[in-house]
Amino acid sequence: AQSVTQPDIHITVSEGASLELRCNYSYGATPYLFWYVQSPGQGLQLLLKYFSGDTLVQGIKGFEAEFKRSQSSFNLRKPSVHWSDAAEFFCAVGTANTGNQFYFGTGTSLTVIP
Amino acid sequence: DGGITQSPKYLFRKEGQNVTLSCEQNLNHDAMYWYRQDPGQGLRLIYYSQIVNDFQKGDIAEGYSVSREKKESFPLTVTSAQKNPTAFYLCASSMWAKPNTEAFFGQGTRLTVV
């Protein structure tokens, strides 16, 4: 069965510091991978996605993620965090075997310290 | 602009009452989804629909019902059988026949049982 694990429930970083949010997935075929961001009380906004090709993908707001098949990981990174990046981040995997379904991790909450 | 509209943003319900959450999209997407979000649990799939007049149960369908009479609309009814309905509800859509595409989300409805 498909699943997504985000091992870090909450992360706190200082403004200007680098950030890495971890995501591991379980899926038998080639996954379609996504990172979404959610501000409090809002819907989810797509940060970036990976379908195929270059394993390092660039997204909006200066975020990037690297797909590592050998580790079943799709970690999200940002070189320098801004206070406005504080939000909840969700990793998701999409499947193609039974139509287009999406499986989400439990999320990582990011706090940015001034 | 194309997008997904959920209404209302906040909804209060007395115990024992049914309530219907609205979701409309003008993205011409085939697939629509309802997710429930609780703190620390990520997004859990309630129902999804691939085409008009067809829908499938997700992981937590008990106590919920949906309809898909029009491509643009996918309302969710929270029935009195749902034991713990207080949550944040998110509607999403995607192109069903195209697996390598992301889900687009509405802004959510927060339901509170009083």
Side-chain angles (χ1 to χ4, degrees), chain A residues 36 38 41-43 49 51 100, chain B residues 33 37 99-100 102-103 106-107:
Chain A
Y36 286 86
Q38 183 183 36
Q42 300 296 315
K49 58 189 177 184
F51 296 143
N100 203 14
Chain B
Y33 314 79
Q37 186 177 18
N100 54 341
E102 65 269 30
Q107 293 301 296

Side-chain angles (χ1 to χ4, degrees), chain A residues 4 8 14 26-27 30-31 37-38 41 43-46 48-49 52 59 61 64 67 70 76 92 94 100-101:
Chain A
V4 177
D8 303 307
S14 298
S26 173
Y27 182 53
T30 299
V37 63
Q38 183 183 36
L44 274 66
Q45 179 185 20
L46 181 71
L48 46 80
K49 58 189 177 184
S52 64
K61 305 184 180 185
E64 66 178 27
F67 171 59
S70 61
L76 182 72
N100 203 14
Q101 297 194 48

Side-chain angles (χ1 to χ4, degrees), chain A residues 4-11 21-24 34-38 44 76 87-92 103-110, chain B residues 37-44:
Chain A
V4 177
T5 301
Q6 293 181 246
D8 303 307
I9 296 174
H10 185 251
I11 283 183
L21 303 182
R22 295 182 290 166
C23 172
N24 293 98
F34 310 87
W35 274 100
Y36 286 86
V37 63
Q38 183 183 36
L44 274 66
L76 182 72
E88 186 99 19
F89 293 80
F90 291 94
C91 181
Y103 297 87
F104 288 83
T106 52
T108 298
S109 177
L110 174 66
Chain B
Q37 186 177 18
D38 297 282
Q41 298 195 47
L43 277 69
R44 293 182 290 168

Side-chain angles (χ1 to χ4, degrees), chain B:
Chain B
D1 289 336
I4 300 177
T5 301
Q6 290 187 241
S7 62
K9 188 170 177 64
Y10 299 97
L11 189 55
F12 296 88
R13 189 196 90 175
K14 292 183 179 179
E15 284 192 26
Q17 289 182 338
N18 293 354
V19 63
T20 297
L21 283 60
S22 171
C23 178
E24 304 276 335
Q25 56 100 358
N26 60 3
L27 299 168
N28 199 33
H29 283 168
D30 302 301
M32 296 187 75
Y33 314 79
W34 275 105
Y35 291 92
R36 170 177 171 145
Q37 186 177 18
D38 297 282
Q41 298 195 47
L43 277 69
R44 293 182 290 168
L45 183 64
I46 304 172
Y47 269 98
Y48 64 97
S49 168
Q50 305 173 42
I51 56 173
V52 173
N53 292 323
D54 184 65
F55 47 83
Q56 308 295 327
K57 292 182 178 180
D59 301 320
I60 56 165
E62 185 175 353
Y64 300 96
S65 65
V66 294
S67 63
R68 187 86 185 274
E69 298 177 358
K70 299 186 300 181
K71 187 176 184 178
E72 303 79 19
S73 178
F74 191 43
L76 173 75
T77 297
V78 184
T79 75
S80 57
Q82 170 48 236
K83 291 180 170 52
N84 185 20
T86 294
F88 191 55
Y89 292 87
L90 287 161
C91 179
S93 71
S94 74
M95 297 176 66
W96 185 263
K98 187 179 178 184
N100 54 341
T101 185
E102 65 269 30
F104 293 79
F105 283 84
Q107 293 301 296
T109 293
R110 183 165 298 281
L111 173 63
T112 302
V113 173
V114 296

Side-chain angles (χ1 to χ4, degrees), chain A residues 13-19 63 78-83 85-86 110 112:
Chain A
V13 299
S14 298
E15 192 168 17
S18 63
L19 172 70
F63 286 91
K78 187 170 184 177
S80 178
V81 172
H82 188 263
W83 64 267
D85 292 325
L110 174 66
V112 180

